[in-house]
Amino acid sequence: CMWIDPSHTSHFIMGCDGGVYETWDNAKTWQFKANLPVTQFYKVATDNDFPFYHVYGGTQDNATLGGPSRTINSAGITNADWYNTVFGDGFQTQIDPEDPDIVYSQWQYGGLVRHDRKSGENIGIQPMEKPGEPALRWNWDAPLIISPHSHTRLYFAANKLFRSDDRGNTWTAISGDLTRQLDRNKMKVMGRVWSMDAVEKNRSTSIYGQCVALAESPLQEGLIYVGTDDGLIQVSEDNGLNWRKTASFPGVPEMTYVNDLVASKFDVNTVFAVFNNHKNGDFKPYILKSSDRGKSWTHIDATLPQSGAVYCFVQDYIDANLLFCGTEFGVFFSNDAGQHWIALKAGLPTIAVYDMTIQQRENDLVLATFGRGFYILDDYSPLRLMTQENVEREAMIFPVKDAWMFLPKRILGLSGKAFQGASFFSTPNPDIGSAIYYYLKDDIKTAKQIRQENESKIVKDGGDVEYPSFNAMRVEDREETPYLLFTITDDAGKVVRRIKQAATAGMHRFTWDFRYPSPSPVSLQTSAVDIFADDDAGYPVVPGTYYVSMAKSERGMITDIAPKQAMIVKPLGLNKLAAEDQKSLLQFNQKTAELFRAVQGTGRYLNEAYHQLDLMKLSINQSPKADIRMSEEIEEIKNQLADIQIKLQGDAGLAKRQFETESSISDRISNVVYNLWFTTAAPTNSMKDNLQFSGEAFNDVLADLKKIDTHISRIRSDLEKSGAPWTPGQLPDWNGN
């Protein structure tokens, strides 16, 4: 597509397979809009790289790409994290499960290379016919797999199936032609056979009669399934020596494209097949299951939307009944072996999902969409537990996946995109921490919500609504909004953190960030975002085992509603100078937090004290009975507080005039907090000194403030006795006369 600026025709915008390009000089130079996630992926594959696996996929006309599923960078996953493995239209990639640096990548019509991720080198390994043999017919998207029984064994299919046991150095054909061997030039298009010049069927389209789907049983070596574009499924139970052909399938139009084949991970006799007939204007879903190695087939697609062709299918590796399929309009899952299908939303747009895979180590479902790039559903394992028994429970916490503990790296100097602007594309990383999934059967409703629902039913039935009692009205007015409260404890049962969540029904997730609560003063106001400041966070926990429990707050009562779950926190170990003595580090952080809490709270006390003293002085001036000399006392107290504030927070008067100032108590303790709580290293000797110096100085400040606080309380009491207007902190008195 193309748009031309009518007032400046040298300026135009092009849309193509690669995305959007703009030129201002009549196509001499172009600007690529790199911030649009509109990649068209045909296929997806994942490796077993550690600690974060990589995702690979072939794109329409824009090469085969690979990139990390997450990074340690606070900016997220950027375009710079992606790399090219081979150019051309990209299709199926396979990665050695034992060596993530060995990558097999394709381009159209069976072009195949073995890519070395470290060096970036490629070597061509596409099999070819022998001299005198008929030319091979390769699909635009030829099927390629690594055998589940040997990480060096490849299977690759044209109209024949090839096998290599040495990573593609040597190939052997283990079948004859597995297709119907039809002449496409004798097949009718729109009701008749056309001349070779009439339609574009002989240009930029796959030659008809090829293998397009391929699977080997993970339970039996040599049990191989092949699907073709002309509607055949071929089965060999002896590694290609003999083949059994099936040409018709119940409820599936003849010669329907076999889009995917998946051999069961649980039953050696079970295989799943996906048929896609959209090229013939048929957009029905076709997912079939065979329990006898392809001899007979039954449908498991009855509850899928009847307009939404299926492209791909995967089976969970733990629960045989948990299935996923990708369709023209998104992803569906079934936890009852295909009897019922449910749409998976969770932020996924309505988009064609051409391929999907499961990264087993992480329990991630990874999707290739045709037009919106890759999508990852992090840790879908809770779906295994969405049984009828569990959904009838009031609430539950799902088992928590082991989590890696590390700190984000700021590659741009600041968090997020820093100063890069909106044209800089990045995908946010998953939150760092333990991801906690939980389920709540029903919303926890207030008395007002319950009353309104009951009244709605009465109105619907034509009845009269009675007004609630005065007492019921008061209950509604005073009731706190219900919420869920999650309590995190350590291995000794000590509370580490409490986290509130909304009490809404359904499955939800939040992330505990491996930290204790912030020791900063609490506030009912939300602070403005400051990209220069670190998050107001507590100090980190040490690696180990923790537990999370779930309670509800309803009508002011907090009640446990779900058994606790264990959480294992593991160090990623990226810091070469990480603290060796984790117990000592935790104790130091705890002591730092105690002093930081007191110093920060004292700073807040000073601000409020100034405010209260100003109000008290105003009250004195407005009270005929008050001793006016109390104003002089207040001014003296304010001067004393100002001297203390210099010790606590620094000399702001000198600092604003660009004079050097002595480090304050707050400077020293903040230096420890903001430099130690965002690293895994042990405290430096300077930090230890700062903690000691600030603690000693704070003792003196606190003693002086306690005396001043007593003085302020005495003045407040005298004001009350004089009948002066009320000031904060004073409970008014009345003798009843």
Side-chain angles (χ1 to χ4, degrees), residues 421-657:
S423 64
F424 181 83
F425 179 78
S426 67
T427 296
N429 279 312
D431 293 334
I432 299 173
S434 288
I436 299 167
Y437 288 86
Y438 63 95
Y439 170 77
L440 185 67
K441 181 182 178 183
D442 299 308
D443 291 337
I444 302 176
K445 299 173 183 176
T446 62
K448 181 178 181 178
Q449 289 171 325
I450 294 172
R451 172 182 59 80
Q452 290 176 334
E453 288 183 1
N454 291 333
E455 289 176 351
S456 295
K457 294 177 183 178
I458 295 172
V459 171
K460 186 177 181 180
D461 294 337
D464 295 327
V465 176
E466 294 184 4
Y467 274 61
S469 67
F470 291 163
N471 185 58
M473 294 180 189
R474 296 187 190 102
V475 168
E476 287 188 11
D477 291 343
R478 298 172 183 176
E479 185 177 2
E480 181 184 31
T481 302
Y483 61 88
L484 299 178
L485 185 64
F486 293 85
T487 301
I488 296 167
T489 56
D490 61 19
D491 211 16
K494 295 181 180 178
V495 174
V496 172
R497 187 84 170 268
R498 292 189 178 96
I499 300 174
K500 288 177 62 174
Q501 296 291 315
T504 53
M507 184 188 294
H508 305 275
R509 179 181 71 181
F510 69 93
T511 302
W512 169 50
D513 61 1
F514 302 140
R515 291 183 179 273
Y516 285 83
S518 169
S520 298
V522 297
S523 175
L524 296 176
Q525 296 179 341
T526 302
S527 300
V529 176
D530 184 356
I531 65 172
F532 297 103
D534 288 306
D535 293 335
D536 184 20
Y539 57 94
V541 300
V542 298
T545 302
Y546 296 84
Y547 298 88
V548 56
S549 60
M550 179 180 181
K552 66 177 179 180
S553 175
E554 184 179 21
R555 312 286 189 268
M557 300 292 293
I558 297 178
T559 310
D560 292 333
I561 57 174
K564 66 181 181 181
Q565 287 283 359
M567 301 184 292
I568 297 178
V569 177
K570 302 183 294 187
L572 193 54
L574 299 177
N575 189 346
K576 291 186 177 180
L577 298 178
E580 296 181 1
D581 189 343
Q582 292 289 316
K583 184 177 180 181
S584 295
L585 175 61
L586 180 61
Q587 291 173 344
F588 185 87
N589 279 332
Q590 289 172 336
K591 188 174 181 180
T592 300
E594 291 169 2
L595 180 57
F596 185 75
R597 180 198 66 83
V599 170
Q600 292 288 98
T602 302
R604 182 73 66 84
Y605 168 86
L606 284 174
N607 293 336
E608 293 186 358
Y610 280 125
H611 180 64
Q612 289 187 21
L613 288 169
D614 287 339
L615 291 175
M616 290 164 69
K617 193 170 183 179
L618 182 61
S619 179
I620 292 169
N621 293 335
Q622 294 181 4
S623 175
K625 296 181 180 180
D627 187 348
I628 197 65
R629 287 175 296 182
M630 286 193 291
S631 292
E632 299 174 2
E633 291 184 68
I634 288 174
E635 282 303 306
E636 176 60 28
I637 291 174
K638 290 175 69 174
N639 286 328
Q640 293 173 7
L641 290 177
D643 291 338
I644 289 175
Q645 190 166 30
I646 289 175
K647 296 178 182 178
L648 186 73
Q649 297 177 329
D651 195 327
L654 291 180
K656 73 180 182 180
R657 295 177 173 88

Side-chain angles (χ1 to χ4, degrees), residues 105-222:
S105 290
Q106 286 188 68
W107 69 94
Q108 63 267 42
Y109 300 129
L112 181 64
V113 299
R114 187 174 65 233
H115 174 80
D116 186 298
R117 193 177 65 171
K118 283 189 174 179
S119 69
E121 296 179 12
N122 284 343
I123 182 170
I125 58 171
Q126 180 181 6
M128 303 180 75
E129 68 276 6
K130 294 179 180 179
E133 292 183 343
L136 296 171
R137 296 191 303 275
W138 295 95
N139 189 260
W140 187 260
D141 180 6
L144 170 72
I145 64 172
I146 295 177
S147 171
H149 304 283
S150 171
H151 69 104
T152 63
R153 182 180 303 155
L154 305 177
Y155 291 100
F156 194 30
N159 53 319
K160 298 179 180 180
L161 180 62
F162 291 87
R163 167 176 163 167
S164 173
D165 289 299
D166 55 8
R167 295 191 168 104
N169 289 333
T170 308
W171 291 97
T172 303
I174 61 171
S175 79
D177 193 317
L178 295 174
T179 72
R180 296 178 189 262
Q181 303 174 52
L182 301 175
D183 184 351
R184 66 171 176 163
N185 295 317
K186 294 181 180 179
M187 299 175 67
K188 292 185 178 182
V189 177
M190 295 183 289
R192 56 175 290 190
V193 177
W194 296 75
S195 78
M196 62 179 291
D197 302 315
V199 291
E200 289 286 314
K201 69 181 180 64
N202 291 76
R203 289 187 62 188
S204 297
T205 58
S206 294
I207 300 173
Y208 196 61
Q210 307 136 348
C211 302
V212 292
L214 176 59
E216 182 183 18
S217 169
L219 303 177
Q220 179 177 316
E221 188 172 358

Side-chain angles (χ1 to χ4, degrees), residues 369-397:
T369 74
F370 203 70
R372 293 293 296 274
F374 290 130
Y375 277 82
I376 299 177
L377 177 60
D378 297 307
D379 190 13
Y380 67 83
S381 61
L383 294 177
R384 299 180 188 128
L385 298 176
M386 292 304 290
T387 62
Q388 190 62 38
E389 177 185 357
N390 284 335
V391 298
E392 292 301 323
R393 295 185 181 187
E394 179 183 9
M396 68 178 295
I397 303 175

Side-chain angles (χ1 to χ4, degrees), residues 226-227 231-235 244-246 249 258 261 273 275 297:
V226 174
L232 300 180
I233 291 181
Q234 301 266 17
V235 184
R244 173 169 36 87
K245 178 174 66 176
T246 303
F249 304 87
V258 183
L261 288 169
F275 295 84
W297 296 86

